Amino acid sequence: MTNSSYSAVDYTGAPLRVGQDVAFIAARDGQAGRPRLYTGEIKLIGEYQIVVASGERFFTLEGQDMRAKVEENVVIYWEVMGHPGA
């Protein structure tokens, strides 16, 4: 992460890390409002975004800053579910 004081977590509160496999929901190209479930690998974690590679495509997913609601500097990715392991 660019700012080590932030923690990136999935919607369950589990930590996310570069190289981790995840499932996520994103809108299909050209079909706004019709989400699709993808799987991929986290390639980059920024302060408020993560970049996930799925096949030959890259997705940028926005997180929600939760500082005002919890005591820690946490960014939650509501559309992301991390897979434990590796």
Side-chain angles (χ1 to χ4, degrees):
M1 294 179 66
T2 58
N3 183 341
S4 62
S5 65
Y6 281 86
S7 297
V9 298
D10 70 11
Y11 80 93
T12 69
L16 296 171
R17 66 188 185 291
V18 172
Q20 182 178 11
D21 290 328
V22 295
F24 62 98
I25 298 170
R28 291 177 133 181
D29 289 339
Q31 295 184 4
R34 301 210 45 205
R36 182 174 174 197
L37 180 65
Y38 293 90
T39 59
E41 179 184 333
I42 296 175
K43 295 295 186 181
L44 178 68
I45 298 178
E47 229 175 334
Y48 299 105
Q49 302 92 15
I50 60 176
V51 176
V52 179
S54 180
E56 294 183 10
R57 297 178 64 191
F58 288 88
F59 294 83
T60 301
L61 304 170
E62 300 274 331
Q64 181 180 0
D65 186 349
M66 299 300 288
R67 281 182 294 182
K69 296 181 182 175
V70 296
E71 295 179 11
E72 301 172 25
N73 290 335
V74 174
V75 177
I76 294 181
Y77 293 87
W78 293 108
E79 297 86 10
V80 178
M81 173 73 177
H83 300 297

